[in-house]
Amino acid sequence: MSNIYESAEATLGFISSPCLTKVELRVACRGISDRDALSKPDPCVVLKMQSHGQWFEVDRTEVIRSSSSPVFSKIFLVDYYFEEVQRLRFELHDISSGNNGLRDADFLGAMECTLGQVSVTDTHQKLANCMFLVTAEELSGNDDYVELSFSARKLDDKDFFSKSDPFLEIFRVNDDGTESLVHRTETVMNNLSPVWKSFKVSLNTLCSGDHDRELKIQWECINPKYQMKKKNYRNSGTVILNHCKIIKMYSFLDYIMGGCQIQFTVAIDFTASNGDPRNSCSLHYIHPYQPNEYLKALVAVGEICQDYDSDKMFPAFGFGALIPPDFKVSHDFAVNFDEDNPECAGIQGVVEAYQNCLPKIQLYGPTNIAPIIQKVASSASEEMHTKEAMEYFILLILTDGVITDMADTREAIVHASHLPMSVIIVGVGNADFTDMQILDGDDGILRSPKGEPVLRDIVQFVPFKDFKHVSAEVYRILALGARGLLFGLLVGGLGLPGHMYSQKIQ
């Protein structure tokens, strides 16, 4: 094993699977003061978390109209790192009528605590104008969810001038006998026999993964007052469960244990913007003892992915260089210069091929990554249409900055989103990575130049200067990859490997 490779491993030796659990936070308020004498407030709670001294919005609840003691159905899902102090801020706002935004909202107050505090015990805090209640529950690790659909018939009419506007609430009964709101449907206006939209809720949220936990859904709607007054009273309507389907969600390890194989491919940016490799300022500079940024990034991601690649043979490609023998620019050349067999033996083999390649090429440009995405997508497409369809493709792209074929790249990603494939882009150096953030799709749905949206999010970008977060991002893309594999299997009309199945309840 080369000294450079060992040095890169040592530099990044702390990288391991993130030690965390997920926590659900439920929020309610009591006794919100009425600022408007003519109406009750329309409350909404915004959750913020602190990072580097700044507060950033994580999520927000729905707006509950005309309520001074709201119980929000929105559940906040946060990652809990027990070794970190994670500061939370719950802001209460009164939203203007006809507007769900915060611009014209009245700020009513805020509660601050740590995630550790709220995880240990339910947190109640008295604000100037209300009582704030936050409850937390650690998830069981069961990612399955249930799809439900309800309707009702012949509900009582509670309005004088029109029919009632019904909605349905589902509560679960906790171990201590209390009840927690799980889901609130939309309101169906002016209808005594409503059909509510189907919805999905995780089994963690619904019953903490316990299939025997009691739920509170009243099938015959009984009004106790009417029951006492009317001799022939039967009910105030009937609620009907039209559809219930439990959908099994598989983890990354489920797929690995079921026979899935990861095909890991590396693509390295050899454009001139990286600097002359002979210059110590170059991102491609080969120091005799210290790994450059490309090698660090390659080892950081590759060491994680190679454990799930059975043959440990990794195709490695370069783009943006003039290559021998005719020194024409190429955007998908084999780093070992063997176009018929671009595979290298393990991450060490990729490192050695990279080091041998640098003196033989001329860094050039432009920075086009669509060709390499299309090359891997072609292999993924062939695999998806084979009888076994048991491989998932992960493409690692190491690049130093702005790409020049954005339109073609967007088109290639949209096409690849239909295949068992994911892309990890690691930004090396300190360049402007705005384009990469766009490809990541975290700020909105990525679309092709023709307007076609991606079928699923397959791109994850992380700047390597934040390399302490690289392992978390890699594990995240592997988890997304498992779901992408399921998609590929289903599109191919094939069964799931091994013990995998889905369960349906009539």
Side-chain angles (χ1 to χ4, degrees):
M1 185 177 291
S2 68
N3 291 334
I4 291 290
Y5 180 62
E6 291 175 341
S7 180
E9 281 188 303
T11 303
L12 301 163
F14 65 88
I15 289 180
S16 61
S17 178
C19 185
L20 59 85
T21 186
K22 290 186 180 294
V23 175
E24 286 185 340
L25 303 177
R26 291 178 168 83
V27 182
C29 300
R30 293 178 183 166
I32 301 176
S33 302
D34 296 340
R35 291 194 172 191
D36 187 343
L38 300 178
S39 65
K40 293 182 179 181
D42 301 326
C44 171
V45 172
V46 177
L47 171 62
K48 294 184 176 180
M49 296 187 74
Q50 193 176 70
S51 177
H52 303 294
Q54 300 291 321
W55 290 105
F56 297 93
E57 180 176 341
V58 176
D59 208 344
R60 63 181 68 177
T61 68
E62 75 278 16
V63 178
I64 299 182
R65 298 295 177 186
S66 301
S67 177
S68 57
S69 295
V71 177
F72 298 97
S73 64
K74 170 68 178 182
I75 298 172
F76 297 121
L77 182 64
V78 296
D79 291 337
Y80 177 42
Y81 297 82
F82 69 89
E83 73 278 10
E84 296 182 12
V85 177
Q86 295 171 267
R87 301 191 183 280
L88 308 178
R89 177 179 171 87
F90 298 88
E91 295 184 353
L92 179 62
H93 298 266
D94 182 5
I95 305 298
S96 302
S97 297
N99 180 10
N100 287 340
L102 298 180
R103 177 171 297 180
D104 299 322
D106 293 325
F107 175 71
L108 302 181
M111 183 188 89
E112 294 186 13
C113 60
T114 67
L115 184 55
Q117 289 171 337
V118 77
S119 297
V120 171
T121 180
D122 294 348
T123 301
H124 298 205
Q125 192 173 114
K126 184 72 170 71
L127 303 183
N129 55 3
C130 77
M131 176 69 75
F132 222 109
L133 302 93
V134 179
T135 60
E137 181 174 9
E138 180 181 349
L139 296 188
S140 66
N142 186 339
D143 292 329
D144 301 348
Y145 63 93
V146 60
E147 186 176 74
L148 298 167
S149 174
F150 289 92
S151 62
R153 291 179 186 169
K154 299 180 181 180
L155 299 178
D156 281 350
D157 194 352
K158 299 295 184 180
D159 295 346
F160 288 109
F161 301 107
S162 64
K163 296 179 181 179
S164 297
D165 306 325
F167 61 88
L168 182 69
E169 291 183 339
I170 298 177
F171 291 81
R172 76 177 191 191
V173 180
N174 300 317
D175 293 335
D176 59 1
T178 60
E179 297 174 356
S180 296
L181 178 63
V182 170
H183 183 80
R184 181 186 294 119
T185 69
E186 78 281 7
T187 300
V188 179
M189 305 301 292
N190 196 30
N191 194 327
L192 300 183
S193 295
V195 177
W196 291 286
K197 295 178 181 178
S198 64
F199 60 92
K200 297 176 182 177
V201 59
S202 74
L203 284 180
N204 278 315
T205 299
L206 185 65
C207 56
S208 295
D210 178 6
H211 291 224
D212 297 322
R213 182 182 287 263
E214 182 180 349
L215 298 178
K216 186 178 178 181
I217 306 173
Q218 194 164 333
W219 303 111
E220 283 192 321
C221 298
I222 305 299
N223 187 321
K225 294 181 180 179
Y226 287 1
Q227 197 172 31
M228 292 177 64
K229 292 180 180 179
K230 298 180 180 181
K231 292 183 179 180
N232 297 324
Y233 176 80
R234 293 184 59 187
N235 58 54
S236 295
T238 305
V239 174
I240 304 163
L241 174 59
N242 300 320
H243 173 76
C244 177
K245 181 180 180 182
I246 296 178
I247 301 173
K248 181 73 176 174
M249 297 299 292
Y250 300 102
S251 70
F252 177 70
L253 287 180
D254 283 333
Y255 285 95
I256 295 299
M257 295 172 69
C260 169
Q261 299 293 326
I262 295 298
Q263 295 297 328
F264 181 61
T265 302
V266 179
I268 302 172
D269 182 344
F270 288 109
T271 57
S273 57
N274 286 282
D276 188 339
R278 295 168 294 184
N279 190 315
S280 61
C281 295
S282 171
L283 293 171
H284 280 303
Y285 177 67
I286 300 297
H287 190 281
Y289 303 110
Q290 295 296 325
N292 61 32
E293 292 297 291
Y294 276 93
L295 286 173
K296 288 180 182 178
L298 172 62
V299 172
V301 181
E303 283 292 283
I304 296 171
C305 292
Q306 75 172 355
D307 287 342
Y308 307 106
D309 190 308
S310 60
D311 64 3
K312 304 293 187 293
M313 298 298 292
F314 305 135
F317 298 95
F319 58 91
L322 301 176
I323 64 172
D326 52 7
F327 284 90
K328 291 182 179 179
V329 66
S330 174
H331 300 294
D332 58 355
F333 66 92
V335 173
N336 64 3
F337 297 110
D338 185 348
E339 297 298 332
D340 295 327
N341 183 20
E343 293 184 333
C344 303
I347 296 302
Q348 178 189 357
V350 178
V351 170
E352 293 172 352
Y354 164 78
Q355 292 174 313
N356 294 333
C357 169
L358 269 174
K360 301 175 183 177
I361 63 174
Q362 180 181 338
L363 275 58
Y364 198 65
T367 308
N368 293 347
I369 65 174
I372 191 62
I373 295 175
Q374 292 164 350
K375 180 185 283 286
V376 176
S378 177
S379 298
S381 179
E382 292 177 4
E383 167 63 20
M384 195 172 75
H385 293 94
T386 63
K387 187 175 181 179
E388 292 80 13
M390 290 294 295
E391 294 184 351
Y392 192 85
F393 292 76
I394 293 179
L395 170 61
L396 169 65
I397 299 177
L398 306 175
T399 182
D400 76 326
V402 181
I403 64 173
T404 52
D405 63 340
M406 176 58 78
D408 289 342
T409 297
R410 285 163 50 201
E411 185 75 39
I413 291 172
V414 169
H415 171 70
S417 70
H418 293 255
L419 303 170
M421 172 180 171
S422 291
V423 181
I424 305 172
I425 303 176
V426 177
V428 179
N430 298 308
D432 179 7
F433 292 113
T434 303
D435 284 352
M436 300 308 180
Q437 301 285 3
I438 294 172
L439 297 178
D440 192 298
D442 287 348
D443 297 327
I445 297 176
L446 179 70
R447 296 179 181 273
S448 72
K450 298 177 182 178
E452 180 185 356
V454 289
L455 188 62
R456 58 189 180 87
D457 181 13
I458 67 166
V459 177
Q460 187 63 32
F461 169 76
V462 56
F464 193 68
K465 60 185 177 182
D466 300 331
F467 66 85
K468 66 180 180 179
H469 301 303
V470 166
S471 66
E473 297 295 350
V474 175
Y475 281 105
R476 177 174 180 268
I477 203 72
L478 290 176
L480 291 173
R483 297 176 187 176
L485 174 67
L486 173 61
F487 168 80
L489 291 168
L490 294 179
V491 168
L494 303 172
L496 291 169
H499 57 281
M500 301 175 191
Y501 63 94
S502 65
Q503 181 178 357
K504 183 174 181 180
I505 296 178
Q506 297 292 349

